[in-house]
Amino acid sequence: MTPAELASVVLAAAHAVFTERGLDRAALPERTVVERPRNPEHGDYASTLALQLSKRVGVPPRELAAALADELGRAPGVKSVEIAGPGFLNIRLDAAAAGQLARVIVEAGAEYGRSDRLAGEKINLEFVSANPTGPVHIGGVRWAAVGDALSRLLRATGAQVGTEYYFNDAGSQIDRFARSLLAAAKGEQAPEDGYGGAYIGEIAAEVRARRPEVLTLDDTAAQEVFRAEGVALMFDEIRSSLRDFGVEFDTYFNEKDLHDRGELDLALARLREQGHLYESEGATWLRTTDFGDDKDRVLRKSNGEWTYFAADCAYYLDKRERGFERVVIMLGADHHGYIGRMKAMAACFGDDPERNLEILIGQLVNLLRDGAPMRMSKRAGTVITLEDLVDAIGVDAARYALARYSSDSPIDIDIELWTRATRDNPVYYVQYVAARTAGVARNAAEVGLVPGDAEAFRPELLDHEKENELLKALAEFPAVVATAAELREPHRVARYLEESVAASFHRFYDNCRVLPLGDEEVTDLHRARLWLNNATRTVIANGLHLLGVSAPERM
């Protein structure tokens, strides 16, 4: 019996009690939840339904709990129900009901853990969005891992998600990038405000190979060539490196398109209609202070140039016009000040900033070698890049390490730890369970042990303490996925895989033998445990997939 099925049984018992007592059934919720008690001695699951309903119907909570316990105790699969404290229901399942979960998980396969919790939500999720002036640095890599995992979680809970990468290919930073390429092609030092690193020389050389005549042009024309060709090459490199990291975006959006299509003028007109624009000192301002910003923001300067914030406004409007009800933007720690102005901007468009716009801030990442932070990239010159991280610890370890921690906490990634083939390496610890469960299934087949069909499965045989503990851990997965999606916290999945599933499986494996010894006859207990082994493999694989990490069959 899954937690969702048990919750339905609890609610059915409440309907029966309310009907028998003549209570108002309109007070009953459409659905309820059951949770694992902190202390396993209190039972398999707990419900607070009696406490929730007591005031609504004017019945003391313990009296209502007693009636619910009596009705629930007669339900198939429920072994016992105890009342605790002011009206908590502590529920124990019989072994057969608990063990059936193994069959449910195996038969569901990749669908186990998925739900419709966020069905109907249309979400635009923008992450990474590094400027096309250099490789993706380690801060952007964190958002690549977390953002991609979050997109998988949101889709797994029924949301319609569009992932998006925003290329800032307009503005002064692109001018500096083009000047830096031109200088490198000429063999000159980079401009004082330009970009350095070996990659600048590499791209400059590639542009020259594509356009051999470029250095025969005057500097203005040559700079335009380096701008167009260099940005395109940088785009291709960023997309390729992210693809190798397992991250693909539904949309790659160019800021330049906003300018070329007149969308900044459209955004300005919309904000003017809303009555939030004014002119001062020849510039056009947005009155964001009306919605809590610390100062009003310039959209168009007195010389006619657009500001970056004007492009932000146009880009937000573009997303909303494409039908996305919620715009989620992931930004680095240095962008914390953007939250107030962006929320105010959404309000200026007439949106609800708490409903339509969500901004997530990620903290810094340090890559440690021999206990000291790495500061310089061999190629980028000034920052650690995606390639540096992957070269150091591999894609799986990098993605897991970056998604394992709450994004609002700084993290240190120790190269030695994350490349170690030991249990203190978190990704190895989890992937080892994936490989071990696959190995058990292979070895079982070799000795003629197969799970058999569902009708022959004997779930009541899974009555060992460690089997029950593992079943409870596997039962939590759908709720963990839903919570991680709703709170935008993929790290909850990683910690669950480590602390709940992997830990419980190791204890099960050490105490409950799955394979027969020697010439020992294959029994129904062996088959039941093989179902549980395979269910564990399913949950580990599904959880790792949500993090973009492989579930190896061998290690």
Side-chain angles (χ1 to χ4, degrees), residues 368-451:
L368 305 182
R369 188 187 295 277
D370 300 325
M374 293 175 59
R375 300 294 184 192
M376 301 289 284
S377 167
K378 292 180 179 178
R379 184 162 178 266
T382 55
V383 294
I384 302 300
T385 67
L386 187 159
E387 286 79 6
D388 295 324
L389 179 61
V390 170
D391 288 346
I393 66 175
V395 171
D396 276 351
R399 290 194 60 137
Y400 194 95
L402 291 165
R404 182 178 182 259
Y405 301 92
S406 174
S407 57
D408 60 5
S409 300
I411 57 175
D412 294 328
I413 297 178
D414 188 323
I415 292 174
E416 182 183 3
L417 169 66
W418 288 93
T419 53
R420 198 180 294 158
T422 57
R423 285 191 174 191
D424 58 345
N425 175 351
V427 71
Y428 179 87
Y429 183 63
V430 175
Q431 288 185 316
Y432 185 73
V433 173
R436 172 167 271 186
T437 51
V440 167
R442 285 195 304 274
N443 294 336
E446 290 175 2
V447 299
L449 170 58
V450 294

Side-chain angles (χ1 to χ4, degrees), residues 52-388:
Q52 296 169 17
L53 297 176
S54 174
K55 287 185 178 180
R56 298 183 194 175
V57 295
V59 178
R62 281 190 66 89
E63 180 183 334
L64 186 56
L68 286 172
D70 183 61
E71 182 69 30
L72 190 57
R74 293 193 289 269
V78 176
K79 182 178 180 181
S80 65
V81 185
E82 298 173 356
I83 303 168
F88 295 103
L89 295 173
N90 289 333
I91 306 166
R92 286 181 170 82
L93 302 180
D94 62 35
Q100 281 290 357
L101 179 68
R103 175 189 57 78
V104 170
I105 293 172
V106 172
E107 291 182 344
E111 292 300 306
Y112 183 67
R114 302 179 71 87
S115 71
D116 60 357
R117 184 74 68 88
L118 299 180
E121 289 206 30
K122 190 172 183 181
I123 300 171
N124 181 282
L125 179 62
E126 179 199 341
F127 56 101
V128 185
S129 293
N131 289 338
T133 54
V136 179
H137 63 76
I138 197 166
V141 182
R142 183 176 197 177
W143 277 137
V146 174
D148 188 63
L150 181 54
S151 73
R152 293 165 185 248
L153 283 165
L154 293 170
R155 287 171 174 142
T157 47
Q160 184 179 345
V161 181
T163 58
E164 197 141 319
Y165 188 116
Y166 182 59
F167 279 116
N168 300 96
D169 58 342
S172 60
Q173 84 277 6
I174 300 299
D175 292 335
R176 297 197 303 272
F177 179 60
R179 291 200 306 271
S180 301
L181 293 175
L182 178 57
K186 289 182 173 182
E188 300 172 355
Q189 290 290 323
E192 187 174 337
D193 62 348
Y195 297 91
Y199 78 95
I200 290 293
E202 294 169 5
I203 293 175
E206 180 65 24
V207 173
R208 289 189 63 186
R210 289 185 175 193
R211 300 286 298 274
E213 81 288 357
V214 64
L215 292 185
T216 66
L217 306 174
D218 63 69
D219 281 357
T220 299
Q223 185 173 314
E224 286 306 306
V225 171
F226 279 107
R227 176 200 297 272
E229 296 285 349
V231 166
L233 286 168
M234 200 72 251
F235 275 0
D236 290 343
E237 180 175 329
I238 290 171
R239 292 177 67 164
S240 176
S241 62
L242 287 170
R243 188 181 304 116
D244 292 343
F245 196 57
V247 179
E248 290 270 14
F249 290 87
D250 298 319
T251 300
Y252 292 87
F253 194 102
N254 289 29
E255 179 188 351
K256 189 172 181 293
D257 290 342
L258 294 171
H259 293 263
D260 293 345
R261 296 197 299 247
E263 292 194 40
L264 280 83
D265 289 303
L266 177 63
L268 204 71
R270 186 72 58 86
L271 291 167
R272 195 179 300 281
E273 289 173 8
Q274 295 288 331
H276 299 298
L277 292 187
Y278 67 93
E279 308 294 325
S280 178
E281 300 177 352
T284 302
W285 297 70
L286 181 62
R287 193 176 285 106
T288 53
T289 51
D290 285 351
F291 299 99
D293 196 7
D294 59 346
K295 62 181 180 180
D296 292 340
R297 304 290 170 174
V298 176
L299 297 183
R300 180 173 259 164
K301 302 175 185 178
S302 58
N303 62 4
E305 291 182 2
W306 294 103
T307 63
Y308 286 120
F309 188 60
D312 290 338
C313 294
Y315 187 35
Y316 172 80
L317 181 61
D318 182 274
K319 291 176 178 178
R320 294 285 285 120
E321 292 289 297
R322 281 185 273 146
F324 291 105
E325 297 165 3
R326 186 182 292 270
V327 173
V328 181
I329 307 172
M330 296 178 159
L331 299 173
D334 56 340
H335 288 75
H336 199 278
Y338 276 52
I339 297 177
R341 75 187 72 169
M342 293 293 287
K343 291 281 189 179
M345 173 266 292
C348 287
F349 276 119
D351 282 350
D352 177 355
E354 298 308 311
R355 164 64 188 160
N356 301 116
L357 177 62
E358 189 174 335
I359 298 177
L360 307 178
I361 299 293
Q363 295 300 320
L364 300 176
V365 181
N366 289 313
L367 186 61
L368 305 182
R369 188 187 295 277
D370 300 325
M374 293 175 59
R375 300 294 184 192
M376 301 289 284
S377 167
K378 292 180 179 178
R379 184 162 178 266
T382 55
V383 294
I384 302 300
T385 67
L386 187 159
E387 286 79 6
D388 295 324

Side-chain angles (χ1 to χ4, degrees), residues 451-517:
D453 59 35
E455 296 302 319
F457 174 43
R458 298 279 305 281
E460 70 274 11
L461 299 178
L462 298 175
D463 59 0
H464 191 283
E465 175 189 1
K466 300 306 177 185
E467 293 166 343
N468 188 255
E469 178 187 329
L470 179 54
L471 284 163
K472 288 180 184 177
L474 301 180
E476 292 177 349
F477 185 53
V480 169
V481 173
T483 301
E486 289 177 333
L487 298 181
R488 319 302 194 229
E489 294 181 344
H491 70 274
R492 289 175 177 267
V493 175
R495 295 306 178 108
Y496 159 77
L497 293 177
E498 292 171 44
E499 299 166 7
S500 194
V501 180
S504 296
F505 177 80
H506 285 303
R507 289 190 287 270
F508 157 76
Y509 187 85
D510 291 341
N511 288 274
C512 304
R513 184 165 186 83
V514 179
L515 303 177
L517 281 171

